[in-house]
Every structure is written in structure tokens, then in C-alpha cells.
Amino acid sequence: MRYSLEKIFSTDLNKALLATLIRYYPPIESNEALIDIVNVLMDGLSRGDVYIDMKKIPENLELKYKDWPSYHMKALLESGWTKGDNSPIVLNGDLISWRRTHNEIVETIQKILLRNQPINHLSKELPVRIEAKNLEHLNIQQIDAVNLVKSEQIILLSGGPGTGKTSTILQMLLEALTRNPTLSIAMAAPTGKAAKKLKDTIQAGIEDFDDPIKDKLSNIPSKTLHKWLEAGPNGFRRNSQRLLKLDLIVIDEMSMVDLSTINGLLDALTKSCQIILVGDPDQLLPIGSGGIWQILQEKETKTNFQSNSVKLTKSYRNKGDIALLRNILKDKGVDAFWQLLSKKEDSTNTLHYLSSIKSIPDPVVRTLVSYRKKLKELTENCINYIPDEAWQSSMIEVDQSVEIQKLFKFIDNLLILCPQRYGPWGVKKIHEFLLGKRFEKEVHKWGEATPIMAKSNQPEIGLANGDVGVIIGNGEKRRFLFNVFSEEQRLVTRLINPSRLNRYDAAYAMTIHKAQGSEADQVLLLWPTTSKVSEEKTSNKFYSDDYEKRMLYTAITRAKKQLMVITNKEEDF
């Protein structure tokens, strides 16, 4: 039979994909239930889920055929789409996945396993050695991780927020340098914010260290993975033919690393390079390609890394009710989280606010009005510290005056987070409220003190996707101010002509995905639906339990001091 592409699909992309499958892999037995299979697999990829468990009924999709999974499994088997090494879909027990992504994961794990062997760095002792006092503040799990540096080429360090991952990284680097001070070491993260945060935390941790070890640790460069790989329009310029000459690399925020990037890095590293992978497996998965970090944490995969994998479980950062909500969500799931949030009284650092979905909630309006006013005042103050000649350049470094430091510290104090860009309480709605309905087409009208976010990697000007800056000046002097790392690994402030940025967006609010790797004193989370079912619209949940759990976990763990969760009133359903 021939399919009609006017059937129910989640997106036009799904329609085109099914048409391609039918053209290149004609089903042995055609069945319209395959429409559901394509939609479910593509919906999974949109959340970063590579493998779909057929035993679980899809919670956020309306299926054309309700008899899931028996009817769909039968249709899939009869189609021939899971038979042979060239079939488009992989069926493993009850799990289905796209073969291309599955093969990428298998290839990546094999590359990591090939490097999973003992190391033998030559020992050249420094005058300064690790003494017991340096390890006194570490728990047994952290000490185990530090000891792995002596013997393992691949180390997996996992843990939630406040479990001491960065403190452990510092001691691991100290151990490596004490054993061999000639090592070439690098630090990396998926985003500029995360790379900067890692560098800042390491710098703060070595304040009381003595030279020469302090200088060596201070000079370890921290860049985005794309910058290390010299990403360009045609791929990575660092590869197996042009290797990174490193002895050790630490990759932080591994939960955000996608398959193509980790594969590119593994290809670009020398065979002897020691690799320390660090991350929180409970955070959101990378969109579209699956998260290798989460797969490395699964029981079946982790058995291959038992001797070189450490999970930190003791929390050292007491965030009061923020920590309580995080732990309930992590241990008991989304329903328990919402129940606790609805029943508990507002505390000093956690608030729950109910609002009508028909308008931007009052606390968000009040916060943004105050934030915008203060931001304008701080930005105007900075102009006095920028010399006249600087405005003539398309890009120039300016002195990091006290006023400029105050400005960027203030920008980092607030995060307004939304699950999505579009829809009620989406990022677009908030920016329309502040900048007008046509804000996307009138970027040249965005006023001074508007926070902006780079939306692409531009190593030639030091910017990475997700970096946040601010508009400064007006008219011919309208420029963008960003904090970036120079090639010498100094944190510098650059004044950049708007014409130099390829793509950027307003940054008063951002999606939860974009906020990964960031932290702020105050976080306002707008959640336009809860895990309750909307009887009027659909019998399905708006998000699957696992996706909702990861979204909420990632959002609330961005808050350092205060969290407000804003949900809509039931009457809005």
C-alpha cells in the first residue's frame, strides 16, 4: 500500500523521514502503525532519548493506534525494518532505536574502551608534594577518584550538585602534576559558561597553594570543546590527522556532551592521553543525538568501567528546601516533587507561586522591571570607563574596571527559566513583553542594557554558543560587551561591533537546556503545566515522567540561594 502523508505526524520532518524510509527501505508488510513508530522515535530524539522502551506507553504523544505495544511491535517486525545490519531501526529486546544513532553510540563506547587501560607516566617529583593535610577535607569516594589518576587512563567521575566534583578535580590535577610536572593538561566543557565556571572554581581553590604548583594549576587552559577542536563550518580542524598534543584532559558537564563532539575529541587525542570525564547523570540529555554520559552510567555499560568509575554521593552544599526538593525529585519522582511543593509552606529560599497562564506572572514582571532598571544603571556607569578610541574598533579588549565587574556579576545573579521557547510562559512570550511583538525582527532596536546570548560558536572573537553579554551604548556607539577567555587564558572584556556576531538572542529569559552549566543566586522557574493531566486537551501528559524529571532537576539545581517555581492555576487547563 502507499502511505498518505496527510496522516497524523508530530512534525513535517517526521513526514519527510517516513517518505524516505518507504523509498529506500520498502516495507515487506506495510502498516500505518509504522507512523506511530516514527513519531515515537523522533519524539525521543527531541528529548535526547536514543532508546525507546516499547513496554512503556508514550505519555506525550497521541498515537494513531491505541493497542501499544503489541500491535506496533507486530507491524515493526513484519515491515522488515529491524532485519539485517543495514535496517533503519534496531530492536534489542523491548528497546528500539534508530540504527544510525545506535551505531554511533556503539562506536563511541568502543573508542572509550580501547583507551581503558593502565597508564605509566614517568614520575618527576616536584619540591611540593601532596601531603595528608591536602586530602583531609576529602571523603573516601573523592580520595578513590584521586588515586585513580595514578593508574587509569579513563576515569569516570559522577555526582550531583554540591558533592565536591570540582574539589576532587583539583586534587586529581594536583596528583597528576606532582607525579609528573611536565604534563600538558587541559580542561574543557560544552559551553563557555561551564568552561569559565570550571576555571574560576579551580582558581579559587588554589589561592592558598604555594609556587610552583600554584602557577602550574593556574595556567591550565579551560576552553569549550568546540574551541579545543577548532570547530568550523566543515567540521573539526583537530582530528586524527592533526592531534591535540595533550597528556591529560578533564571534560566537565559531560551530561551536555553530544555524540559527534565526544567522537571528534576521541579522534583528536593522542592514544596515551589520560581522560577524566565528569558530570551529573540526572541532568537533561543533549537534544537530538543522545547523551553518552547517561549511557556510560547505565548498569550494562558501567560494568566495563567498574574499576575506574567513582560516584560522589555526599552533599557538602546545604541549600535548605532547594536541596530537599531536589532529593525528593531524584529519589521519588515528579509526582512526589509536585505534592511536596504544593503542600509545603514558603521557606526562606523556596517559593511556590500560582498564576494565571494568560499573562506573565506578577513576580516575573516585578523582578524583570527591577532587574532591567538596575542593569541600565550599571551599564551606563561602565561607559565612563571605556576610552573614546575603543568605540572606533570592530572588536577591542577594554580594562576590567570595578564597574564592569559589577555589571557582569549582576547579570549572573538571575536566571528566568522556561521549559520551552514557544507557547505560554515561553522565552519568546517574556521577550515580547519586554521588547515588543516584533523583537525578533527588530534586533537593531533593542536598547542599551539588553542582555544578549550568542547562538553560535565564533572562536575568532572568543565567543561560544550560550555566552551572555550586554548591549552598551547607542547609535553609532552601539556595541556588545562580553567577558571571554583570551588565548592566554585570561578573562578579558571585549567590546564588539554587532556586525561581528553571526547569531544572537535576547537573554532576559532562557530555556532550561540553555541554562545548563550555569548557576545564579536567584532562579525563577515558569512551569506552565504540572504533571497533572489536562482532561480537556488530551489524555496524555505534556512531558514523559523521565523528561519532566530531568527538566525540573536541571532547573532547580541552577539556584544557589533562592528558587521560585511558578505554576498555572487549575482553572487554566
Side-chain angles (χ1 to χ4, degrees):
M1 67 173 280
R2 186 177 288 272
Y3 284 91
S4 170
L5 297 185
E6 282 71 37
K7 301 290 182 182
I8 298 174
F9 284 92
S10 298
T11 66
D12 289 338
L13 175 62
N14 294 14
K15 296 178 186 179
L17 178 58
L18 183 67
T20 303
L21 288 172
I22 292 169
R23 179 179 177 184
Y24 291 101
Y25 303 96
I28 298 171
E29 292 289 337
S30 296
N31 189 315
E32 288 189 347
L34 295 175
I35 295 171
D36 286 341
I37 298 289
V38 170
N39 279 336
V40 167
L41 281 169
M42 292 299 286
D43 180 67
L45 273 190
S46 73
R47 302 187 308 271
D49 289 330
V50 174
Y51 298 100
I52 304 298
D53 190 343
M54 293 284 283
K55 290 184 298 184
K56 297 180 180 178
I57 299 175
E59 296 173 316
N60 56 327
L61 280 179
E62 185 173 348
L63 299 175
K64 181 174 178 58
Y65 291 93
K66 301 301 182 184
D67 193 12
W68 180 282
S70 58
Y71 187 76
H72 298 79
M73 183 70 83
K74 181 175 181 290
L76 184 59
L77 292 172
E78 291 178 349
S79 71
W81 281 1
T82 62
K83 295 180 180 178
D85 293 339
N86 294 320
S87 62
I89 295 174
V90 173
L91 175 63
N92 184 5
D94 294 307
L95 300 179
I96 60 171
S97 63
W98 292 118
R99 180 167 294 281
R100 179 176 177 178
T101 311
H102 168 79
N103 288 348
E104 273 192 84
I105 287 174
V106 171
E107 178 188 355
T108 304
I109 292 174
Q110 286 302 317
K111 286 180 181 178
I112 296 174
L113 285 172
L114 284 173
R115 292 174 174 270
N116 189 22
Q117 53 189 320
I119 62 168
N120 185 28
H121 287 321
L122 294 176
S123 179
K124 296 182 179 180
E125 302 291 346
L126 277 179
V128 177
R129 299 189 59 185
I130 294 181
E131 299 175 1
K133 65 178 182 180
N134 289 333
L135 299 177
E136 283 178 354
H137 65 288
L138 301 184
N139 62 41
I140 187 65
Q141 295 166 340
Q142 293 173 303
I143 293 173
D144 286 344
V146 173
N147 288 332
L148 288 177
V149 176
K150 304 173 186 177
S151 59
E152 301 296 335
Q153 189 175 6
I154 296 286
I155 301 172
L156 278 61
L157 178 65
S158 66
T163 54
K165 293 192 296 294
T166 309
S167 299
T168 308
I169 292 170
L170 174 55
Q171 291 295 338
M172 294 169 90
L173 295 175
L174 185 57
E175 170 65 29
L177 283 172
T178 302
R179 289 173 59 80
N180 186 350
T182 66
L183 293 178
S184 175
I185 299 178
M187 298 188 296
T191 67
K193 281 184 180 180
K196 178 180 178 296
K197 179 182 167 187
L198 178 60
K199 178 76 172 180
D200 288 347
T201 310
I202 293 296
Q203 287 293 127
I206 63 175
E207 284 298 318
D208 297 329
F209 281 31
D210 296 324
D211 293 334
I213 199 71
K214 181 176 181 178
D215 285 342
K216 288 185 174 293
L217 288 166
S218 180
N219 290 327
I220 295 174
S222 181
K223 306 178 188 178
T224 65
L225 286 163
H226 281 80
K227 195 164 186 178
W228 278 114
L229 292 170
E230 297 178 16
N234 300 317
F236 301 134
R237 288 189 286 272
R238 289 288 185 177
N239 48 49
S240 58
Q241 304 302 311
R242 189 165 170 260
L243 295 171
L244 287 164
K245 302 296 178 64
L246 297 172
D247 298 307
L248 188 157
I249 185 168
V250 177
I251 307 166
D252 198 12
E253 298 288 353
M254 271 296 298
S255 62
M256 301 166 62
V257 179
D258 60 38
L259 285 171
S260 62
T261 304
I262 194 65
N263 265 313
L265 183 70
L266 292 169
D267 290 341
L269 294 174
T270 61
K271 298 297 182 185
S272 60
C273 183
Q274 189 173 27
I275 305 172
I276 301 175
L277 306 176
V278 186
D280 183 349
D282 295 308
Q283 287 194 37
L284 280 165
L285 306 165
I287 296 174
S289 67
I292 187 64
W293 184 241
Q294 286 76 8
I295 291 171
L296 287 173
Q297 304 301 311
E298 291 175 358
K299 184 178 180 181
E300 296 78 7
T301 313
K302 206 168 185 178
T303 53
N304 297 305
F305 302 98
Q306 287 293 349
S307 62
N308 48 347
S309 178
V310 175
K311 183 176 182 179
L312 305 179
T313 57
K314 183 177 179 180
S315 179
Y316 291 94
R317 195 186 305 162
N318 184 2
K319 292 185 178 180
D321 282 349
I322 297 175
L324 175 62
L325 285 168
R326 179 197 70 206
N327 293 336
I328 288 292
L329 177 64
K330 183 178 175 182
D331 298 335
K332 297 186 179 180
V334 292
D335 288 339
F337 170 86
W338 289 118
Q339 287 172 12
L340 176 62
L341 189 68
S342 63
K343 292 178 180 178
K344 67 177 291 302
E345 295 182 1
D346 290 344
S347 66
T348 54
N349 71 348
T350 305
L351 304 171
H352 180 212
Y353 187 88
L354 287 170
S355 178
S356 171
I357 206 168
K358 298 174 184 177
S359 60
I360 305 299
D362 288 343
V364 177
V365 173
R366 289 195 300 269
T367 300
L368 281 173
V369 168
S370 173
Y371 179 75
R372 203 176 186 188
K373 181 179 178 182
K374 183 65 176 178
L375 199 54
K376 186 168 179 59
E377 176 189 322
L378 292 172
T379 305
E380 289 174 345
N381 290 343
C382 291
I383 292 179
N384 300 323
Y385 295 87
I386 297 175
D388 291 339
E389 59 270 20
W391 302 96
Q392 308 304 316
S393 174
S394 66
M395 183 184 75
I396 192 171
E397 290 183 15
V398 296
D399 290 338
Q400 284 192 322
S401 64
V402 172
E403 295 301 323
I404 285 178
Q405 292 178 41
K406 282 182 183 178
L407 171 63
F408 280 100
K409 184 177 180 181
F410 182 75
I411 290 173
D412 291 340
N413 276 346
L414 174 69
L415 280 175
I416 295 180
L417 303 181
C418 314
Q420 299 175 334
R421 178 170 179 82
Y422 303 103
W425 292 354
V427 172
K428 184 180 179 183
K429 288 289 185 185
I430 292 174
H431 286 151
E432 284 179 346
F433 169 76
L434 290 167
L435 301 170
K437 292 284 186 180
R438 292 175 53 82
F439 82 96
E440 291 175 312
K441 296 181 179 180
E442 297 178 343
V443 295
H444 60 285
K445 293 185 178 180
W446 296 356
E448 185 176 56
T450 300
I452 57 172
M453 177 188 292
K455 293 184 67 177
S456 63
N457 294 308
Q458 290 189 253
E460 71 277 8
I461 57 176
L463 288 181
N465 187 0
D467 284 351
V468 174
V470 65
I471 297 175
I472 187 169
N474 294 295
E476 293 182 357
K477 283 189 173 182
R478 187 173 183 268
R479 296 291 186 272
F480 296 160
L481 205 62
F482 278 93
N483 270 349
V484 301
F485 277 118
S486 68
E487 290 301 321
E488 297 78 27
Q489 282 302 290
R490 293 183 300 109
L491 185 66
V492 298
T493 301
R494 284 184 179 158
L495 191 69
I496 304 172
N497 191 299
S499 63
R500 297 293 300 271
L501 258 71
N502 294 337
R503 297 171 61 219
Y504 57 92
D505 194 7
Y508 283 111
M510 65 184 69
T511 63
I512 298 170
H513 271 97
K514 282 290 186 184
Q516 288 194 91
S518 304
E519 281 188 324
D521 288 344
Q522 183 183 12
V523 169
L524 275 67
L525 170 61
L526 291 94
W527 196 268
T529 62
T530 67
S531 58
K532 295 178 181 179
V533 173
S534 172
E535 298 292 348
E536 294 178 7
K537 294 183 179 179
T538 176
S539 60
N540 297 314
K541 292 184 178 182
F542 289 93
Y543 306 109
S544 67
D545 278 351
D546 182 66
Y547 190 54
E548 184 175 0
K549 180 178 179 179
R550 289 185 183 278
M551 288 254 278
L552 288 168
Y553 178 89
T554 303
I556 67 177
T557 54
R558 300 311 93 198
K560 290 196 289 186
K561 294 182 179 179
Q562 186 161 21
L563 168 71
M564 176 181 283
V565 181
I566 304 171
T567 57
N568 51 279
K569 299 174 182 177
E570 289 187 29
E571 64 199 46
D572 289 323
F573 280 110

